[in-house]
Amino acid sequence: MITLPKNVSYVKNEIQPGNQYYLVGGAVRDLILNKSSKDLDIVCSGDIRPLARRVADRTNGAFYVLDAERSIYRVIVSDDQGERVI
């Protein structure tokens, strides 16, 4: 049985209808190997920027544009103690 990491909830709570979202990359590998992963890579059928921006805003996180042309963004989320979560 594969258990999704806790940090997926930050993203899951912000998903809006109308797009498809896929967890990809190292997080998928780590799930299969039953390892924890702090880094989540998400691909979206539409524009991922609004999702990334909402996650950053609602978690007092940092939002970075890595490559606007290719719609690549980074969100760094901190917990209540200021520790990096994602």
Side-chain angles (χ1 to χ4, degrees):
M1 173 188 229
I2 294 176
T3 304
L4 293 174
K6 289 181 192 179
N7 53 18
V8 170
S9 67
Y10 289 108
V11 176
K12 186 178 172 186
N13 293 337
E14 299 304 325
I15 287 177
Q16 300 293 311
N19 288 315
Q20 295 177 337
Y21 300 88
Y22 302 93
L23 183 63
V24 299
V28 175
R29 176 204 59 229
D30 292 344
L31 285 169
I32 292 168
L33 296 174
N34 202 25
K35 293 182 176 182
S36 64
S37 181
K38 288 190 174 189
D39 182 44
L40 301 178
D41 297 317
I42 299 169
V43 175
C44 176
S45 64
D47 184 6
I48 193 75
R49 183 185 178 110
L51 173 68
R53 184 78 254 180
R54 279 193 309 275
V55 170
D57 289 347
R58 296 206 177 150
T59 59
N60 295 317
F63 173 82
Y64 301 96
V65 177
L66 299 180
D67 186 338
E69 185 178 328
R70 292 177 181 83
S71 297
I72 301 172
Y73 309 98
R74 174 169 290 150
V75 175
I76 298 176
V77 177
S78 298
D79 63 15
D80 294 337
Q81 290 77 38
E83 295 294 320
R84 180 176 175 222
V85 177
I86 301 177

PDB file of all heavy atoms in Angstrom, residues 20-37:
ATOM      1  N   GLN A  20      -6.392  18.608 -14.604  1.00  0.00           N
ATOM      2  CA  GLN A  20      -5.887  17.340 -14.078  1.00  0.00           C
ATOM      3  C   GLN A  20      -4.489  17.602 -13.545  1.00  0.00           C
ATOM      4  O   GLN A  20      -3.689  18.302 -14.173  1.00  0.00           O
ATOM      5  CB  GLN A  20      -5.864  16.280 -15.173  1.00  0.00           C
ATOM      6  CG  GLN A  20      -7.243  15.936 -15.664  1.00  0.00           C
ATOM      7  CD  GLN A  20      -7.220  14.946 -16.802  1.00  0.00           C
ATOM      8  OE1 GLN A  20      -6.230  14.811 -17.506  1.00  0.00           O
ATOM      9  NE2 GLN A  20      -8.317  14.249 -16.995  1.00  0.00           N
ATOM     10  N   TYR A  21      -4.191  17.044 -12.364  1.00  0.00           N
ATOM     11  CA  TYR A  21      -2.909  17.235 -11.715  1.00  0.00           C
ATOM     12  C   TYR A  21      -2.256  15.871 -11.518  1.00  0.00           C
ATOM     13  O   TYR A  21      -2.921  14.908 -11.149  1.00  0.00           O
ATOM     14  CB  TYR A  21      -3.090  17.905 -10.351  1.00  0.00           C
ATOM     15  CG  TYR A  21      -3.745  19.262 -10.440  1.00  0.00           C
ATOM     16  CD1 TYR A  21      -5.133  19.389 -10.414  1.00  0.00           C
ATOM     17  CD2 TYR A  21      -2.991  20.406 -10.560  1.00  0.00           C
ATOM     18  CE1 TYR A  21      -5.744  20.624 -10.498  1.00  0.00           C
ATOM     19  CE2 TYR A  21      -3.589  21.653 -10.649  1.00  0.00           C
ATOM     20  CZ  TYR A  21      -4.964  21.761 -10.607  1.00  0.00           C
ATOM     21  OH  TYR A  21      -5.565  22.988 -10.693  1.00  0.00           O
ATOM     22  N   TYR A  22      -0.953  15.824 -11.753  1.00  0.00           N
ATOM     23  CA  TYR A  22      -0.222  14.569 -11.633  1.00  0.00           C
ATOM     24  C   TYR A  22       1.023  14.772 -10.783  1.00  0.00           C
ATOM     25  O   TYR A  22       1.788  15.712 -11.014  1.00  0.00           O
ATOM     26  CB  TYR A  22       0.201  14.059 -13.018  1.00  0.00           C
ATOM     27  CG  TYR A  22      -0.962  13.864 -13.950  1.00  0.00           C
ATOM     28  CD1 TYR A  22      -1.364  14.874 -14.815  1.00  0.00           C
ATOM     29  CD2 TYR A  22      -1.680  12.672 -13.942  1.00  0.00           C
ATOM     30  CE1 TYR A  22      -2.446  14.697 -15.661  1.00  0.00           C
ATOM     31  CE2 TYR A  22      -2.765  12.487 -14.788  1.00  0.00           C
ATOM     32  CZ  TYR A  22      -3.133  13.506 -15.636  1.00  0.00           C
ATOM     33  OH  TYR A  22      -4.206  13.338 -16.481  1.00  0.00           O
ATOM     34  N   LEU A  23       1.221  13.898  -9.826  1.00  0.00           N
ATOM     35  CA  LEU A  23       2.442  13.865  -9.045  1.00  0.00           C
ATOM     36  C   LEU A  23       3.462  13.085  -9.865  1.00  0.00           C
ATOM     37  O   LEU A  23       3.183  11.974 -10.309  1.00  0.00           O
ATOM     38  CB  LEU A  23       2.183  13.178  -7.700  1.00  0.00           C
ATOM     39  CG  LEU A  23       3.343  13.117  -6.723  1.00  0.00           C
ATOM     40  CD1 LEU A  23       3.775  14.521  -6.305  1.00  0.00           C
ATOM     41  CD2 LEU A  23       2.931  12.314  -5.493  1.00  0.00           C
ATOM     42  N   VAL A  24       4.626  13.687 -10.104  1.00  0.00           N
ATOM     43  CA  VAL A  24       5.649  13.067 -10.951  1.00  0.00           C
ATOM     44  C   VAL A  24       7.015  13.152 -10.268  1.00  0.00           C
ATOM     45  O   VAL A  24       7.154  13.761  -9.214  1.00  0.00           O
ATOM     46  CB  VAL A  24       5.715  13.749 -12.343  1.00  0.00           C
ATOM     47  CG1 VAL A  24       4.396  13.621 -13.088  1.00  0.00           C
ATOM     48  CG2 VAL A  24       6.102  15.216 -12.224  1.00  0.00           C
ATOM     49  N   GLY A  25       8.004  12.552 -10.880  1.00  0.00           N
ATOM     50  CA  GLY A  25       9.383  12.723 -10.438  1.00  0.00           C
ATOM     51  C   GLY A  25       9.759  11.907  -9.216  1.00  0.00           C
ATOM     52  O   GLY A  25       9.225  10.830  -8.956  1.00  0.00           O
ATOM     53  N   GLY A  26      10.687  12.453  -8.460  1.00  0.00           N
ATOM     54  CA  GLY A  26      11.267  11.767  -7.321  1.00  0.00           C
ATOM     55  C   GLY A  26      10.267  11.385  -6.248  1.00  0.00           C
ATOM     56  O   GLY A  26      10.433  10.366  -5.564  1.00  0.00           O
ATOM     57  N   ALA A  27       9.224  12.168  -6.077  1.00  0.00           N
ATOM     58  CA  ALA A  27       8.217  11.842  -5.059  1.00  0.00           C
ATOM     59  C   ALA A  27       7.522  10.522  -5.388  1.00  0.00           C
ATOM     60  O   ALA A  27       7.225   9.731  -4.485  1.00  0.00           O
ATOM     61  CB  ALA A  27       7.186  12.961  -4.941  1.00  0.00           C
ATOM     62  N   VAL A  28       7.279  10.264  -6.665  1.00  0.00           N
ATOM     63  CA  VAL A  28       6.658   9.002  -7.076  1.00  0.00           C
ATOM     64  C   VAL A  28       7.613   7.846  -6.786  1.00  0.00           C
ATOM     65  O   VAL A  28       7.222   6.819  -6.225  1.00  0.00           O
ATOM     66  CB  VAL A  28       6.257   9.023  -8.569  1.00  0.00           C
ATOM     67  CG1 VAL A  28       5.741   7.669  -9.007  1.00  0.00           C
ATOM     68  CG2 VAL A  28       5.228  10.107  -8.824  1.00  0.00           C
ATOM     69  N   ARG A  29       8.870   8.024  -7.148  1.00  0.00           N
ATOM     70  CA  ARG A  29       9.881   7.000  -6.859  1.00  0.00           C
ATOM     71  C   ARG A  29       9.946   6.725  -5.359  1.00  0.00           C
ATOM     72  O   ARG A  29       9.947   5.575  -4.926  1.00  0.00           O
ATOM     73  CB  ARG A  29      11.262   7.463  -7.353  1.00  0.00           C
ATOM     74  CG  ARG A  29      12.402   6.515  -7.014  1.00  0.00           C
ATOM     75  CD  ARG A  29      13.753   7.203  -6.968  1.00  0.00           C
ATOM     76  NE  ARG A  29      13.759   8.256  -5.983  1.00  0.00           N
ATOM     77  CZ  ARG A  29      14.192   9.496  -6.220  1.00  0.00           C
ATOM     78  NH1 ARG A  29      14.670   9.849  -7.390  1.00  0.00           N
ATOM     79  NH2 ARG A  29      14.165  10.405  -5.273  1.00  0.00           N
ATOM     80  N   ASP A  30       9.968   7.788  -4.557  1.00  0.00           N
ATOM     81  CA  ASP A  30      10.056   7.622  -3.110  1.00  0.00           C
ATOM     82  C   ASP A  30       8.831   6.906  -2.543  1.00  0.00           C
ATOM     83  O   ASP A  30       8.949   6.085  -1.642  1.00  0.00           O
ATOM     84  CB  ASP A  30      10.245   8.977  -2.426  1.00  0.00           C
ATOM     85  CG  ASP A  30      11.604   9.597  -2.734  1.00  0.00           C
ATOM     86  OD1 ASP A  30      12.496   8.863  -3.207  1.00  0.00           O
ATOM     87  OD2 ASP A  30      11.754  10.809  -2.513  1.00  0.00           O
ATOM     88  N   LEU A  31       7.658   7.199  -3.096  1.00  0.00           N
ATOM     89  CA  LEU A  31       6.443   6.502  -2.659  1.00  0.00           C
ATOM     90  C   LEU A  31       6.553   5.006  -2.936  1.00  0.00           C
ATOM     91  O   LEU A  31       6.216   4.183  -2.087  1.00  0.00           O
ATOM     92  CB  LEU A  31       5.212   7.060  -3.373  1.00  0.00           C
ATOM     93  CG  LEU A  31       4.704   8.409  -2.895  1.00  0.00           C
ATOM     94  CD1 LEU A  31       3.655   8.941  -3.859  1.00  0.00           C
ATOM     95  CD2 LEU A  31       4.148   8.305  -1.498  1.00  0.00           C
ATOM     96  N   ILE A  32       7.020   4.662  -4.119  1.00  0.00           N
ATOM     97  CA  ILE A  32       7.160   3.250  -4.489  1.00  0.00           C
ATOM     98  C   ILE A  32       8.164   2.553  -3.577  1.00  0.00           C
ATOM     99  O   ILE A  32       7.974   1.403  -3.190  1.00  0.00           O
ATOM    100  CB  ILE A  32       7.559   3.126  -5.969  1.00  0.00           C
ATOM    101  CG1 ILE A  32       6.393   3.580  -6.859  1.00  0.00           C
ATOM    102  CG2 ILE A  32       7.978   1.701  -6.313  1.00  0.00           C
ATOM    103  CD1 ILE A  32       6.754   3.765  -8.308  1.00  0.00           C
ATOM    104  N   LEU A  33       9.228   3.268  -3.211  1.00  0.00           N
ATOM    105  CA  LEU A  33      10.261   2.700  -2.344  1.00  0.00           C
ATOM    106  C   LEU A  33       9.944   2.857  -0.853  1.00  0.00           C
ATOM    107  O   LEU A  33      10.755   2.507  -0.011  1.00  0.00           O
ATOM    108  CB  LEU A  33      11.612   3.351  -2.656  1.00  0.00           C
ATOM    109  CG  LEU A  33      12.153   3.104  -4.057  1.00  0.00           C
ATOM    110  CD1 LEU A  33      13.419   3.917  -4.297  1.00  0.00           C
ATOM    111  CD2 LEU A  33      12.406   1.620  -4.287  1.00  0.00           C
ATOM    112  N   ASN A  34       8.755   3.406  -0.572  1.00  0.00           N
ATOM    113  CA  ASN A  34       8.307   3.628   0.805  1.00  0.00           C
ATOM    114  C   ASN A  34       9.267   4.530   1.577  1.00  0.00           C
ATOM    115  O   ASN A  34       9.572   4.295   2.739  1.00  0.00           O
ATOM    116  CB  ASN A  34       8.107   2.297   1.536  1.00  0.00           C
ATOM    117  CG  ASN A  34       7.167   2.459   2.708  1.00  0.00           C
ATOM    118  OD1 ASN A  34       6.334   3.359   2.728  1.00  0.00           O
ATOM    119  ND2 ASN A  34       7.296   1.592   3.698  1.00  0.00           N
ATOM    120  N   LYS A  35       9.750   5.570   0.897  1.00  0.00           N
ATOM    121  CA  LYS A  35      10.623   6.561   1.513  1.00  0.00           C
ATOM    122  C   LYS A  35       9.868   7.875   1.631  1.00  0.00           C
ATOM    123  O   LYS A  35       8.933   8.135   0.875  1.00  0.00           O
ATOM    124  CB  LYS A  35      11.866   6.799   0.654  1.00  0.00           C
ATOM    125  CG  LYS A  35      12.801   5.630   0.567  1.00  0.00           C
ATOM    126  CD  LYS A  35      14.011   6.017  -0.262  1.00  0.00           C
ATOM    127  CE  LYS A  35      15.033   4.906  -0.310  1.00  0.00           C
ATOM    128  NZ  LYS A  35      16.233   5.318  -1.080  1.00  0.00           N
ATOM    129  N   SER A  36      10.280   8.717   2.563  1.00  0.00           N
ATOM    130  CA  SER A  36       9.655  10.029   2.679  1.00  0.00           C
ATOM    131  C   SER A  36      10.262  10.962   1.639  1.00  0.00           C
ATOM    132  O   SER A  36      11.394  10.783   1.208  1.00  0.00           O
ATOM    133  CB  SER A  36       9.840  10.592   4.085  1.00  0.00           C
ATOM    134  OG  SER A  36      11.200  10.798   4.350  1.00  0.00           O
ATOM    135  N   SER A  37       9.492  11.943   1.240  1.00  0.00           N
ATOM    136  CA  SER A  37       9.937  12.909   0.240  1.00  0.00           C
ATOM    137  C   SER A  37       9.392  14.273   0.606  1.00  0.00           C
ATOM    138  O   SER A  37       8.195  14.419   0.852  1.00  0.00           O
ATOM    139  CB  SER A  37       9.450  12.493  -1.145  1.00  0.00           C
ATOM    140  OG  SER A  37       9.888  13.412  -2.108  1.00  0.00           O
TER     141      SER A  37
END
